[in-house]
Amino acid sequence: MKFYDCAMAPSPRRVRIFLAEKGIKIDTVQVDLMTAENIQPAYLKINPRGIVPALQLDDGTLIDETLAICQYLEALHPEKPMLGTDAKSRAVITSRTLAMEWDGFLRASEAFRNSAPGFGDRGIPGLGGITAIPALAERGMAGSRRFIDTLDGMLGKSEFVAGTSFSLADITALCVVDFMGWLKVTPTDSHPNVQRWYRSVSSRPSAAA
Amino acid sequence: MKFYDCAMAPSPRRVRIFLAEKGIKIDTVQVDLMTAENIQPAYLKINPRGIVPALQLDDGTLIDETLAICQYLEALHPEKPMLGTDAKSRAVITSRTLAMEWDGFLRASEAFRNSAPGFGDRGIPGLGGITAIPALAERGMAGSRRFIDTLDGMLGKSEFVAGTSFSLADITALCVVDFMGWLKVTPTDSHPNVQRWYRSVSSRPSAAA
């Protein structure tokens, strides 16, 4: 089993935190997004979608998308469950994890990839030749601010993003909030619930991953 | 249990097909996206994200995101599995289902919502006040064409989108291909694998859902 990672990237960090929480070590290969190594032929041969994180099984099967990778790892290492323990908690964690991706990651990524120098033709993860759209960067910035507001409302109702225990939804939200920090969108005093939650999840040893 | 649907919309159609394949009937409420009923206070009280499909459990728990809804329904009705049967097939189906969403649904949605009359301020599902970005509609059109090409390559290697059996990944891809038909992006004779697969999946009785 081989984990394709990029140490500076917010998206594969979710898998790194998941592994750290579980105390699992796996063979890791760094793919440098900054130099666009992910869209060079060598990596596209491994993952035609050109994205990290990706997990390659020993039989060659390629699994990308964080949720799928973590689902596989959780099946292999069920102790300390982070994807739920029954039908309802599993569905709620999946639902909230994907909400963090669509309402958070996507917005931050729109803002970052359509404005950052060096990403001028990489407006979509995994692809080259996608010209930046400045209006989309602006829409992504507004969406990022909206995300922090929404997350605050959510965390006013429960201790963690998907209920009473730490899950992949929290890992995803933490990586989104830190990604939004690059854009200078940060929780303020008007987001007391995000601040309380952030202090808790960011002080777990896994957050260093 | 109550299913919030919109009969004309591509996204909740995935849940309708999943239910039809399983032979399950549940209480269904129509939410009219055309008149923006989904972003009116009554529906936002049920799902603050303003999107369909959504499933409300009898205890009030709200589950949105197709994958999460289907995960819950599959746990309740395990016969005729469409989310995999072991760790590997489950992870591959999740991975491919999400790839269909990010590389397919998102692209078609960018094209549709940033160009269709009546969606001029609904550039993102579940929100109002999001002004259309014409350049993003163009990017979405290019992405839709790229999706059909990529899907053809994928279906050249396996009978179904995620291997040898029909799964949620096929349901998602079918709904994406039909959605792209609205944009006049359709498989051609240079997509023989998509054509073969499309004939097969669209002729299943569930496709009428």
Side-chain angles (χ1 to χ4, degrees), chain A residues 39 45 50 96 103 118-119 155 170 175 194:
Chain A
I39 53 172
K45 228 175 122 180
R96 288 285 167 95
D103 301 346
F119 281 79
L155 289 167
D170 296 285
C175 294
V194 176

Side-chain angles (χ1 to χ4, degrees), chain A residues 76-109:
Chain A
L76 255 55
H77 302 272
E79 58 293 345
K80 205 172 179 182
M82 278 180 288
L83 294 173
T85 52
D86 57 17
K88 190 171 99 174
S89 63
R90 266 190 277 270
V92 171
I93 289 169
T94 295
S95 169
R96 288 285 167 95
T97 297
L98 295 176
M100 297 300 105
E101 294 194 0
W102 288 99
D103 301 346
F105 252 113
L106 175 57
R107 301 305 155 217
S109 167

Side-chain angles (χ1 to χ4, degrees), chain B residues 147-148 151 172-182 185-187 194 197-198:
Chain B
F147 173 79
I148 304 283
L151 185 61
T172 306
L174 171 64
C175 293
V176 170
V177 170
D178 285 341
F179 186 12
M180 289 180 177
W182 298 10
V185 175
T186 49
V194 177
W197 164 87
Y198 186 84

Side-chain angles (χ1 to χ4, degrees), chain A residues 96-172:
Chain A
R96 288 285 167 95
T97 297
L98 295 176
M100 297 300 105
E101 294 194 0
W102 288 99
D103 301 346
F105 252 113
L106 175 57
R107 301 305 155 217
S109 167
E110 284 170 345
F112 178 73
R113 286 183 169 265
N114 290 282
S115 66
F119 281 79
D121 68 343
R122 290 194 283 154
I124 297 176
L127 292 169
I130 307 288
T131 310
I133 300 174
L136 184 57
E138 270 175 56
R139 191 196 266 183
M141 286 298 288
S144 297
R145 287 186 283 265
R146 195 171 51 237
F147 173 80
I148 303 284
D149 291 342
T150 306
L151 185 62
D152 196 69
M154 221 175 243
L155 289 167
K157 288 182 200 121
S158 59
E159 186 183 350
F160 293 103
V161 174
T164 54
S165 59
F166 181 83
S167 75
L168 181 59
D170 296 285
I171 295 176
T172 306

Side-chain angles (χ1 to χ4, degrees), chain A residues 49 57 59 61-65 67-69 71-72 75-76 87-88 90-92 94-95 98-99 101-103 106-107 110 114 123-125 127 130-133 135-136 139 146, chain B residues 49 57 59 61-65 67-69 71-72 75-76 87-88 90-92 94-95 98-99 101-103 106-107 110 114 123-125 127 130-133 135-136 139 146:
Chain A
R49 294 182 73 212
L57 309 189
D59 69 0
T61 303
L62 197 281
I63 299 166
D64 61 9
E65 294 295 336
L67 179 62
I69 293 170
Q71 222 175 27
Y72 186 78
L76 255 55
K88 190 171 99 174
R90 266 190 277 270
V92 171
T94 295
S95 169
L98 295 176
E101 294 194 0
W102 288 99
D103 301 346
L106 175 57
R107 301 305 155 217
E110 284 170 345
N114 290 282
I124 297 176
L127 292 169
I130 307 288
T131 310
I133 300 174
L136 184 57
R139 191 196 266 183
R146 195 171 51 237
Chain B
R49 294 182 73 210
L57 309 190
D59 69 0
T61 304
L62 199 279
I63 298 166
D64 60 8
E65 294 295 335
L67 179 62
I69 293 170
Q71 219 174 29
Y72 185 79
L76 254 55
K88 189 170 101 174
R90 265 191 277 269
V92 170
T94 295
S95 169
L98 295 176
E101 294 193 2
W102 288 99
D103 301 346
L106 175 58
R107 301 305 153 218
E110 284 171 345
N114 290 282
I124 297 176
L127 292 171
I130 307 289
T131 311
I133 300 174
L136 183 58
R139 191 197 266 184
R146 193 172 53 237

